[in-house]
Amino acid sequence: QVQLLESGGRLVHPGGSLSLSCADSGGTLRNFHAGWFRQAPGKERDFVAGISSTGINTYYADSVKGRFTISRNNADNSVYLQMNYLKPEDTAIYYCAATRDTWYYRNYDRQSKYSYWGQGSQVTVSS
C-alpha cells in the first residue's frame, strides 16, 4: 500500500527556490511512476512534472520547464521537486501522486491514471 506524504512547502519570495519531498511510508514507491500536480486558488488541479519508476524518463508542464526538476531516490522511496526562479503564479497546493500505468509515457499528465495521492503541501510565492 502506497501512503504518500508531501513536505517542504512554505512562503518564498519571487525568484527564490524551494524543494518539495514526497515520502512513501508504505515502502513501495520505488515500484511506481510518480508525478507532481498543483492546484492554485480557484483553479483546477494541473500537472507539473512526472518521473518514471526507474527515474530515466521525466516530463514537465511547459509552465515549469527549465525552472523545476523532478527526481527520485528509490533507496528511500522518495520523490522530489526542486523549484527554482519561483513566480507568484506558482502559488498552489502541490500534490504528489503515484501510478503503475503501463502506458505512463503517454498518460503522465492525466490525473485519472494516478491511483495514490498525498494530502498536499502549500507553496506560497509572494514578496
Side-chain angles (χ1 to χ4, degrees):
Q1 181 74 8
V2 178
Q3 296 178 317
L4 303 176
L5 181 64
E6 303 93 337
S7 62
R10 60 176 174 86
L11 171 66
V12 62
H13 294 311
S17 298
L18 191 62
S19 181
L20 299 181
S21 298
C22 174
D24 168 34
S25 59
T28 59
L29 186 57
R30 65 172 65 89
N31 299 320
F32 290 75
H33 312 300
W36 287 94
F37 291 78
R38 67 185 180 187
Q39 186 167 20
K43 296 187 178 181
E44 294 185 351
R45 189 162 57 186
D46 292 327
F47 169 77
V48 175
I51 188 166
S52 60
S53 58
T54 60
I56 293 176
N57 300 108
T58 57
Y59 310 93
Y60 296 94
D62 288 342
S63 59
V64 306
K65 273 182 186 174
R67 299 189 300 124
F68 291 11
T69 301
I70 188 170
S71 62
R72 66 190 303 157
N73 183 338
N74 283 344
D76 65 7
N77 288 290
S78 295
V79 175
Y80 307 96
L81 185 67
Q82 176 65 40
M83 303 184 291
N84 299 326
Y85 306 107
L86 283 160
K87 305 174 182 180
E89 50 263 43
D90 294 318
T91 295
I93 299 174
Y94 283 71
Y95 297 91
C96 177
T99 177
R100 271 185 164 159
D101 183 17
T102 302
W103 302 102
Y104 185 68
Y105 75 99
R106 293 194 311 195
N107 297 329
Y108 55 86
D109 58 351
R110 297 177 62 182
Q111 297 184 52
S112 62
K113 296 297 184 180
Y114 288 81
S115 303
Y116 302 96
W117 292 82
Q119 293 190 332
S121 183
Q122 176 70 50
V123 173
T124 303
V125 184
S126 175
S127 54

